[in-house]
Amino acid sequence: MTRIGTRAEVWFSNVVASFARYVAERTLPESVPMLMRRDAVLDSYGHAKEVMQGAYSFLDRFEGLTLSIQEARKRFPTRKLVLEFGVYKGGMINYQARKFAELNFVGFDSFEGLQEQWSGMAPKGTFDLGGKLPRVRSNVALVKGWFAESAPRWKAENPASGTPLLVHVDCDTYAATVDVLEFCANYVEQGLVLHFDDYFGFPDWRTGGFKALQEVSEKRRWRLTYLSYGTKEVALLAEARAD
Ligand SMILES: C[S@@+](CC[C@H](N)C(=O)[O-])C[C@H]1O[C@@H](n2cnc3c(N)ncnc32)[C@H](O)[C@@H]1O
């Protein structure tokens, strides 16, 4: 007699159904979250066409940051320091530190998650690791704390650290990005490559890192030259305006 509905069969069909639901929820074009994302992509596309002519594009976020580090080295060949704001489990910083073993990386993070809600995307506290630091490669140092306090403290303790080759901004929210950009203001006097991981292409992008950069660059009179863009990422050269 054929046995139907064994525990293994039920388990297997549940797994298949869960996977199908997971894929459907993320690909259905007719859902509110997906329409929000589509709108955000179209708005970002319009913005890129308006201000980013001549910049190159990439699709993979790891490769995109690698290209930005290489671009920065052409401009600033003597610089050896890369700063990352927003480390989480260290996936990106370890990847780049392995690729660029001759560079030094410093990663800043609370390791307690987002300090505020990421509008349109994620609640306060997302990415909380309970304050536990991830394992990192030997050319990576980690600085724990909220940026507004940890970054100036690190700089005071490392007065000879010099101007960074590149600053990777991966902290998602408006207030955190303002803290990072204000900290970078002195570096921009010498010219600084900034690579944003979450700049546009997602709901409410105009209220996050994008808004922080527009406001700080206007207030501090920076000239911005867009170097590249990905699906969410944007890299640019920030310099002090001469006028
Ligand atoms: C998207 S995750 C970083 C991902 C990481 N760069 C990667 O690619 O694997 C954002 C991180 O920013 C940190 N963060 C956000 N705002 C912060 C702030 N004001 N001070 C310190 N850390 C902050 C969070 O704790 C979180 O780990």
Side-chain angles (χ1 to χ4, degrees), residues 61 84 86-88 91-92 109-115 127 145-147 170-172 176:
R61 66 185 283 270
E84 179 173 76
V87 173
Y88 190 41
M92 181 62 94
D109 204 302
S110 64
F111 301 106
E112 293 176 25
L114 303 180
Q115 204 174 8
F127 307 118
W146 302 109
F147 303 146
D170 193 3
C171 52
D172 306 328

Side-chain angles (χ1 to χ4, degrees), residues 13-104:
S13 55
N14 279 344
V15 169
V16 171
S18 299
F19 181 70
R21 193 166 56 244
Y22 179 90
V23 172
E25 281 170 359
R26 283 156 183 77
T27 51
L28 269 182
E30 299 297 328
S31 69
V32 175
M34 296 315 284
L35 289 174
M36 289 289 187
R37 280 165 171 71
R38 186 170 175 275
D39 263 11
V41 170
L42 289 175
D43 186 27
S44 308
Y45 166 66
H47 178 67
K49 283 222 304 187
E50 197 182 317
V51 304
M52 297 183 195
Q53 302 94 338
Y56 64 85
S57 64
F58 56 86
L59 290 173
D60 180 82
R61 66 185 283 270
F62 286 84
E63 180 65 12
L65 182 54
T66 298
L67 290 170
S68 287
I69 294 173
Q70 288 166 347
E71 277 297 313
R73 292 180 96 178
K74 289 181 201 157
R75 289 179 162 79
F76 308 111
T78 59
R79 299 186 190 176
K80 297 273 179 261
L81 177 65
V82 175
L83 304 184
E84 179 173 76
F85 289 89
V87 173
Y88 190 41
K89 294 181 180 172
M92 181 62 94
I93 203 165
N94 277 323
Y95 177 87
Q96 302 298 344
R98 184 165 179 268
K99 279 217 127 147
F100 298 98
E102 67 287 10
L103 299 179
N104 296 314

